[in-house]
Amino acid sequence: MNSGNLSQDAKLTYTDIGGLIEVAGEFLNYYYGILSGKYYSIEALNSDDVNKVLSILRHHNESVASFINNRKLL
């Protein structure tokens, strides 16, 4: 760790990043559960969950497109 370049000294792989996200999700879910008594899965459990996420993303994209079109009219 003498080169002064953190990205070279401490390389992260996609697997490392995935593991960090998983641990962070478990950590947050644990403490959220203690505080609220509710637990959430950070993975899709069934096709309905995927459809809900896609619906939210579709609505977001439509809102962004509408905002951009309204700004063009100004």
Side-chain angles (χ1 to χ4, degrees), residues 62-74:
E62 290 169 356
S63 296
V64 169
S66 176
F67 176 78
I68 291 170
N69 286 333
N70 288 336
R71 298 294 295 168
K72 286 180 184 178
L73 297 175
L74 295 178

Side-chain angles (χ1 to χ4, degrees), residues 25-40:
E26 291 171 2
F27 177 82
L28 293 172
N29 202 24
Y30 173 78
Y31 285 103
Y32 182 76
I34 290 172
L35 294 171
S36 69
K38 298 177 185 176
Y39 296 90
Y40 289 95

Side-chain angles (χ1 to χ4, degrees), residues 47-57:
S47 63
D48 190 44
D49 292 338
V50 174
N51 288 335
K52 287 178 184 178
V53 170
L54 291 176
S55 176
I56 291 167
L57 292 172

Side-chain angles (χ1 to χ4, degrees), residues 1-9:
M1 302 210 49
N2 295 326
S3 71
N5 187 346
L6 182 60
S7 65
Q8 291 298 320
D9 292 337

